Amino acid sequence: MSKSKSILLFVLLLTSGQVCLVAQQPWTWSIPYERWSDLKALSVVNATTAFAVGDFGTILKTTNGGQTWSRQIVGNISVTLRGVSFADANRGLAV
């Protein structure tokens, strides 16, 4: 293969890789409720279950891989939660 054909092949491969990267849908952040918009930490239990914590005592849980989130009520917490760790879908700690 000649040098010019090699360079052309390299450019085509490089360009097609860039097109694939550009063609992918960008990741977007969806905030379910305005008041809960400042989340501080995330604990992923498995492929479908995760917990997020943040301002105003916010604790959110997903059981479908992040498609939807639901607020978890745990007493009357109004402080900022900055950390979360869950051993399984039912036992965890938020601080």
Side-chain angles (χ1 to χ4, degrees):
M1 182 179 287
S2 71
K3 187 175 182 177
S4 62
K5 286 183 182 179
S6 296
I7 292 172
L8 179 60
L9 180 60
F10 176 76
V11 170
L12 288 173
L13 289 173
L14 184 63
T15 304
S16 66
Q18 289 175 345
V19 170
C20 287
L21 290 175
V22 173
Q24 293 177 351
Q25 292 295 324
W27 181 83
T28 58
W29 180 255
S30 177
I31 301 170
Y33 300 96
E34 187 175 324
R35 184 173 179 212
W36 303 342
S37 62
D38 199 3
L39 299 175
K40 305 292 185 187
L42 178 72
S43 177
V44 178
V45 177
N46 56 43
T48 59
T49 306
F51 294 85
V53 297
D55 287 349
F56 307 107
T58 299
I59 302 173
L60 302 177
K61 179 182 181 181
T62 182
T63 56
N64 56 13
Q67 295 287 329
T68 60
W69 292 82
S70 60
R71 183 173 185 198
Q72 305 298 295
I73 307 298
V74 183
N76 188 15
I77 302 171
S78 61
V79 298
T80 296
L81 298 172
R82 298 186 182 278
V84 62
S85 179
F86 271 76
D88 59 39
N90 299 309
R91 296 180 299 141
L93 174 68
V95 293

